[in-house]
Amino acid sequence: MAISGFVAVTASREADFAAFYQQNIGSLSRTLTAALDDPQVAQDAAQEAMARACERWDKIESYDNPVGWCYRVAMNWATSRWRKRKREVITDIMPMPAALDGPDFAVQDRLLIALRSLSTDQRSVIVLRLVEDWSINETAEALGIKPGTVQSRYARALARLREELGDFHD
């Protein structure tokens, strides 16, 4: 009898994690893509974070923001991955693409260039606050920083985006 009860609990936890995964993998991948500006690394990081969450689901499911935990794990994994690449120069600011002008220059292109002007720390705050609509406290928890730091980074990032996009009226 004890074994069948264990199997039922395990199956229930697996089902809970499967539901969590299905509900969150898409938005986690999109958020990471916006923060990291590399869809493949973002997808790998999201999958790695979900695998780690699955291993620890008994603990993670009780967190106030398990998706925030996954985001933080994914960002840490991506950072670690980049540090291990010895042939690349790693900086906190993504390289700017070639300048684009004219009527064919889409809104998304302008926004991506503006986002690339932000540091990874600022970009993460912008993505979590504006794209994911997370609260200051949820963002702070996910990034492992204080709420005041979230507010400071958010304000500086918005100011930088306004500066970059100030003349844009389309």
Side-chain angles (χ1 to χ4, degrees):
M1 176 97 175
I3 292 177
S4 67
F6 174 75
V7 171
V9 169
T10 301
S12 173
R13 286 185 182 138
E14 287 177 8
D16 288 347
F17 178 76
F20 170 79
Y21 180 92
Q22 288 298 323
Q23 290 173 342
N24 295 291
I25 189 64
S27 65
L28 180 62
S29 294
R30 285 187 302 275
T31 302
L32 290 165
T33 297
L36 298 169
D37 197 41
D38 186 329
Q40 187 59 53
V41 171
Q43 182 65 32
D44 292 347
Q47 293 296 336
E48 181 65 27
M50 285 293 190
R52 291 181 187 185
C54 183
E55 292 171 356
R56 300 165 179 83
W57 189 240
D58 288 347
K59 183 176 182 179
I60 304 304
E61 72 177 328
S62 68
Y63 289 177
D64 289 338
N65 186 2
V67 178
W69 183 90
C70 288
Y71 179 85
R72 185 173 184 183
V73 167
M75 288 297 288
N76 288 344
W77 179 88
T79 299
S80 177
R81 180 182 178 272
W82 285 328
R83 286 181 180 154
K84 289 177 184 175
R85 299 180 93 171
K86 294 180 181 179
R87 289 183 268 177
E88 293 181 352
V89 176
I90 306 300
T91 66
D92 193 35
I93 299 177
M94 292 184 292
M96 294 296 289
L100 301 172
D101 290 317
D104 296 332
F105 191 39
V107 173
Q108 294 86 355
D109 294 331
R110 294 281 309 265
L111 183 56
L112 285 174
I113 289 171
L115 284 171
R116 286 181 179 126
S117 74
L118 302 176
S119 69
T120 301
D121 291 339
Q122 289 177 337
R123 195 168 47 253
S124 290
V125 168
I126 288 291
V127 169
L128 294 177
R129 295 281 293 128
L130 294 179
V131 176
E132 291 301 313
D133 197 29
W134 287 5
S135 70
I136 291 170
N137 288 335
E138 288 170 328
T139 302
E141 180 183 335
L143 298 176
I145 58 178
K146 294 180 180 181
T149 304
V150 169
Q151 292 173 311
S152 174
R153 288 180 185 173
Y154 184 67
R156 287 185 181 122
L158 284 178
R160 180 71 186 257
L161 289 174
R162 284 186 188 109
E163 181 181 305
E164 293 289 325
L165 298 170
D167 63 336
F168 185 66
H169 299 290
D170 286 341

